[in-house]
Amino acid sequence: MKEVFPIATFDQNLEKYAELAVRVGVNLQKDQNLLINAAISSADFVRLVVKKAYEAGARNVYVEWHDDIVTRTKFELANEESFNDYPEWKARGLETLAETNGAFMSIISSDPDLLRGIDPKRISASSKAAGVALMKYRNYIQADKVSWTVIAAASKEWAAKVFPDVNEDEQLEKLWEAIFRTTRIDQQDPVEAWEKHDETLHNKVDYLNEKRYKKLHYKADGTDLTIELPQGHLWVGAGSKNEQGDYFMANMPTEEVFTAPLKTGVNGVVRSTKPLSYGGNLIDNFSFTFENGRIVSFKAEKGEEVLKQLVETDEGSHYLGEIALVAHDSPISQSNILFYNTLFDENASNHLAIGSGYAFCVEGGKQMSREELEKAGVNSSITHVDFMIGSGEMDIDGILDDGTREPIFKNGTWAF
């Protein structure tokens, strides 16, 4: 007989979510500093997270607020040169916090169409300026030197995009329900549920690391892609450990296991299966052609100019930095909700990422410089953008050193 749990109220779920973000997401330690990046539309939830952080023993909790309307106003009215600037004081502050074992939490909630109609060159210039200024800080993140997590909070504009056919007064509630469900807040003990989920993903990680495939071959409608893996590559998934040995969960939700491709080892064609929300614009029905790792051509039914600016961010943005495996029957995929948000949509689909690779995806990578990582075959870039390619028809074979092929995915889900 199925066990029936009491139905929690919205406030109870919100409190459990805040607790999970602090205790499991960043796993905040006593006397540790925490930086939260969030929109002012999420103020009520942020205040609850701050409370939970201090209850967990935080030394200081700093909140970096942003506002979608202010952001949009700048892109509409500011002079062209301003998009080449990024506050040096902000970059140095992030570096200092990282160097002193601070923890970092991003709470995302922005409207997927926030910058629709804005000149893509402005968006690209702004992204480049931030990417250059934050390179040192992002190296801390991408090497797991510090604890960090990305979670979401529902907003009115985002909810309207996800549930356009629902009454306006119910949209926000439905998006919060979806967030609670996909982050396992609807479970009796979310912390225990995450521990079990973490174990499940690590079983996949262990299998793949034991196999040591030389290449992966992806086949689906519009996709025929071969990806070579670097020598000493490591598959990872779910939780990670920072430099202090503290366990944290970088993304909530997460359903993926991932590694870095060999920068020059990607060949073939790949087609997107979900829209990509990038720079406040949607890119849809797009594809890439790769030769020796490099994107040599691309096209998009919607947002092609924005996609062009993304690919041309720097030299490294012409290459891949991440390959991730997600079963098509994952809970997020089965929800049949298109979130228009990479944190969720990437966990409903196999995906790839343009740009920088994670240092911890090769043996000894956490101790390597970016130059050493490049020599090991891990791409470097000032950007890292995931895009979704999975479907219920996708097959993926693992190819061993001797050429033997073994199924990893069959019809969109795990074959082992």
Side-chain angles (χ1 to χ4, degrees), residues 118-121 124 278 281-283 298-312:
I118 296 295
D119 184 350
K121 291 180 180 177
S124 177
Y278 173 72
N281 285 270
L282 287 176
I283 308 168
F298 58 86
K299 57 184 178 181
E301 188 176 297
K302 180 179 181 180
E304 187 167 279
E305 181 60 29
V306 178
L307 184 62
K308 180 176 185 290
Q309 296 296 328
L310 167 58
V311 172
E312 295 179 353

Side-chain angles (χ1 to χ4, degrees), residues 14-28:
L14 205 63
E15 183 147 348
K16 286 199 291 183
Y17 187 37
E19 181 88 14
L20 189 74
V22 170
R23 300 281 186 177
V24 176
V26 290
N27 187 15
L28 198 69

Side-chain angles (χ1 to χ4, degrees), residues 346-379:
E346 73 170 7
N347 285 299
S349 169
N350 288 320
H351 56 276
L352 306 172
I354 285 173
S356 190
Y358 290 101
F360 49 79
C361 286
V362 289
E363 293 173 352
K366 290 186 179 184
Q367 288 73 49
M368 292 182 186
S369 65
R370 288 313 302 191
E371 292 74 21
E372 290 170 326
L373 287 166
E374 280 274 355
K375 288 180 181 178
V378 179
N379 188 36

Side-chain angles (χ1 to χ4, degrees), residues 83-87 91-92 95 123-139 142 278 313-314 356 380-384:
F83 296 100
N84 297 316
D85 301 335
Y86 188 88
R92 298 295 85 80
E95 291 168 17
I123 298 169
S124 177
S126 179
S127 296
K128 285 182 182 178
V132 170
L134 297 175
M135 177 69 85
K136 187 175 179 181
Y137 160 69
R138 286 177 176 170
N139 285 342
Q142 292 189 335
Y278 173 72
T313 299
D314 62 6
S356 190
S380 292
S381 174
I382 61 173
T383 193
H384 178 100

Side-chain angles (χ1 to χ4, degrees), residues 64-103:
E64 180 71 21
W65 297 103
H66 62 268
D67 174 52
D68 279 0
I69 295 175
V70 170
T71 299
R72 173 84 193 190
T73 301
K74 176 177 179 178
F75 276 95
E76 287 178 337
L77 302 177
N79 67 62
E80 212 70 37
E81 292 73 25
S82 70
F83 296 100
N84 297 316
D85 301 335
Y86 188 88
E88 185 176 342
W89 55 268
K90 185 180 288 189
R92 298 295 85 80
L94 291 169
E95 291 168 17
T96 299
L97 198 57
E99 287 163 1
T100 54
N101 191 37

Side-chain angles (χ1 to χ4, degrees), residues 282-354:
L282 287 176
I283 308 168
D284 202 6
N285 291 330
F286 56 97
S287 63
F288 296 106
T289 300
F290 292 86
E291 290 182 7
N292 298 321
R294 200 173 199 274
I295 296 171
V296 293
S297 66
F298 58 86
K299 57 184 178 181
E301 188 176 297
K302 180 179 181 180
E304 187 167 279
E305 181 60 29
V306 178
L307 184 62
K308 180 176 185 290
Q309 296 296 328
L310 167 58
V311 172
E312 295 179 353
T313 299
D314 62 6
E315 179 58 22
S317 57
H318 291 79
Y319 296 82
L320 296 180
E322 178 190 334
I323 58 175
L325 303 178
V326 181
H328 187 66
D329 59 1
S330 75
I332 299 176
S333 179
Q334 292 302 299
S335 74
N336 292 317
I337 297 173
L338 180 60
F339 285 89
Y340 298 97
N341 182 294
T342 301
L343 175 63
F344 292 85
D345 291 336
E346 73 170 7
N347 285 299
S349 169
N350 288 320
H351 56 276
L352 306 172
I354 285 173

